[in-house]
Amino acid sequence: MSDAAPAGSLVVAGLGPGDPRLTTPEVTDALADATDLIGYGPYIARVPDRPGLAKHGSDNREEIDRARHALTLASAGRRVVVASSGDPGVFAMAAAVLEAVEHGDPAWRELDLRVLPGVTAMTAAAARAGAPLGHDFCAINLSDNLKPWALVEKRLRLAAEADFVIALYNPVSKARPHQLGRALDILRSLRAPTTPVIFATAVSAPQETIDTVPLAEAVASRADMRTLVIVGSSQTRLITRTGGPAFVYTPRSAPAEAAS
Ligand code: SAH
């Protein structure tokens, strides 16, 4: 049909933690093919400008509006990329886009829609420190923008009781300065004071810092909005060395005592 609208598409892509070398070739190809790029301003600023690419930056709190905008443009025949940092399925836009599809125009279900993975902050931070995620772990988003704080506290307590290594995303924001301190207090009440805690900030970007401290000395002021915190399990340990910071790792197997 010559008068048919051009076939649009929507790709939800993860840019990785910061270093362009950690953006996958698959995502780079999708960005090269896009007519429109949508995302939180600082993320889409990481994608170089080029003729033929329209950038639509937005505030970080407007996820569902951003998703609807992307779906509307794709329905009109544009090749749209929605970009998240890290992986788009980890506390990011992929679920927001699917939420908009579920509740939106039924035609959106038939769109050419793909989610492309990226290197998430948790695995990028873990790799810098050694292998702290070598055994069972969980990830908790400390933000209570989208859930009650009481649920965050419950998950922290139960994850600590289950002896998971715990990765904390969104540990602080200007609107929530006290929550990481409260979270660390809960973990201190349930884990040994020597438990290694990794503060990994701006991993793979020029401002990167990685600090490992015992839980007893972990203070919330070490973290900012670009920090991923990893709290070890009862088995997580350090390999000290003279030529550099200790390796932090969690062995692949857990002993019977870990179940008690
Ligand atoms: N989709 C992203 C996470 C978005 S939530 C991902 O998969 O990584 C935003 C949080 O991710 C930040 O508050 C921080 O906790 C973490 N984060 C993102 N990039 C980071 C980086 N380069 N270094 C450390 N933490 C990072």
Side-chain angles (χ1 to χ4, degrees):
M1 287 198 309
S2 57
D3 59 350
S9 61
L10 179 54
V11 170
V12 192
L15 299 175
D19 185 336
R21 293 175 304 167
L22 295 180
T23 304
T24 69
E26 183 182 40
V27 169
T28 304
D29 287 352
L31 290 168
D33 190 47
T35 57
D36 297 83
L37 177 61
I38 294 182
Y40 175 45
Y43 298 158
I44 67 171
R46 285 167 50 186
V47 177
D49 291 327
R50 65 169 165 78
L53 179 67
K55 286 181 166 180
H56 312 266
S58 63
D59 187 88
N60 207 13
R61 289 173 175 256
E62 300 163 355
E63 283 192 348
I64 293 290
D65 289 346
R66 198 189 297 157
R68 288 199 196 99
H69 183 205
L71 287 156
T72 303
L73 286 173
S75 297
R78 313 283 296 179
R79 291 188 304 281
V80 183
V81 173
V82 174
S84 291
S85 75
D87 182 281
V90 178
F91 309 131
M93 282 304 295
V97 167
L98 291 183
E99 192 176 331
V101 169
E102 184 185 7
H103 300 294
D105 182 343
W108 288 349
R109 297 176 181 223
E110 314 311 323
L111 275 172
D112 173 5
L113 167 59
R114 288 181 300 146
V115 180
L116 305 185
V119 176
T120 188
M122 176 176 68
T123 52
R128 286 292 197 260
L133 307 180
H135 196 76
D136 298 345
F137 62 86
C138 67
I140 298 178
N141 187 339
L142 271 200
S143 167
D144 65 349
N145 286 340
L146 300 170
K147 62 190 169 191
W149 176 252
L151 183 59
V152 177
E153 291 203 359
K154 177 181 175 182
R155 287 181 176 158
L156 286 166
R157 283 196 308 273
L158 293 176
E161 188 188 333
D163 205 24
F164 283 118
V165 171
I166 304 170
L168 299 174
Y169 282 79
N170 278 310
V172 283
S173 77
K174 287 200 187 82
R176 305 176 287 107
H178 308 301
Q179 294 176 344
L180 179 60
R182 173 76 189 127
L184 291 170
D185 285 345
I186 291 170
L187 296 171
R188 265 190 283 271
S189 71
L190 295 160
R191 291 246 160 121
T194 51
T195 304
V197 178
I198 301 160
F199 288 84
T201 299
V203 175
S204 86
Q207 311 76 23
E208 173 179 303
T209 59
I210 313 283
D211 292 318
T212 303
V213 298
L215 181 55
E217 290 168 30
V219 287
S221 58
R222 282 178 182 262
D224 65 24
M225 289 169 72
R226 299 187 71 194
T227 304
L228 188 285
V229 180
I230 298 178
V231 180
S233 72
S234 67
Q235 303 304 308
T236 305
R237 61 199 68 184
L238 303 184
I239 302 175
T240 54
R241 49 194 182 137
T242 51
F247 290 123
V248 187
Y249 91 107
T250 309
R252 301 273 291 114
S253 56
E257 314 79 273
S260 60

